[in-house]
Amino acid sequence: MLVLLAGIFVVHIATVVMLFVSTIANVWVVANDGSSSLGLWKNCSNGVCDPLSYGGEGALKSVQAFMILSIIFSVVSLVVFVFQLFTMEKGNRFFLSGAVMLVCWLCVLIGVSIYTHHYSYEGGFHHGYCFILGWICFCFSFIIGVLYLVLRKK
């Protein structure tokens, strides 16, 4: 049981790190020749990064907001899990940690889905590693949230 909890803890920390990287880095979309990339915050071309020309759009602002919310909920869930690990009585489940992590999962789902819908580039562009990390975090946060709900402290 201790090994399982330690594994979940490590995957949770990895998810938090991946959420930070996917939200901060500017590689959501990359040109096929690698000369430019677009992120949630800046447009980088030939080593020079400028603010996005479409940065005021509501869809992009909502993606930014949901990705930031997912980071916040993931960190809160991690802190709650550690707190519950040391204070909760034996036999109880990690309901609060799981619920907060599932809210994180929902925020990642909404943010990455909006980006997928509104900013699917064709011809000359492909999705970058930040976009892929967002979807990986979607999967990991769901698995972690469900495991927190199912596990009992022994």
Side-chain angles (χ1 to χ4, degrees), residues 7-114:
I8 292 172
F9 183 73
V10 168
V11 172
H12 196 149
I13 289 176
T15 302
V16 170
V17 169
M18 288 189 295
L19 278 171
F20 268 108
V21 169
S22 71
T23 304
I24 293 171
N26 291 312
V27 192
W28 279 67
V29 174
V30 181
N32 286 340
D33 61 1
S35 64
S36 64
S37 64
L38 299 169
L40 297 180
W41 313 101
K42 294 186 183 226
N43 177 9
C44 297
S45 182
N46 296 323
V48 178
C49 294
D50 298 316
L52 292 173
S53 59
Y54 57 90
E57 289 184 13
L60 184 66
K61 293 238 181 249
S62 62
V63 172
Q64 293 169 342
F66 278 111
M67 292 306 289
I68 290 171
L69 281 172
S70 69
I71 292 172
I72 291 169
F73 283 122
S74 185
V75 170
V76 167
S77 176
L78 187 64
V79 170
V80 168
F81 171 69
V82 170
F83 181 75
Q84 285 181 325
L85 197 59
F86 292 110
T87 60
M88 194 168 57
E89 295 179 13
K90 290 184 178 184
N92 290 341
R93 294 182 190 238
F94 297 95
F95 282 125
L96 187 57
S97 301
V100 174
M101 196 62 190
L102 288 176
V103 172
C104 166
W105 167 73
L106 191 62
C107 289
V108 173
L109 171 67
I110 294 170
V112 179
S113 295
I114 291 172

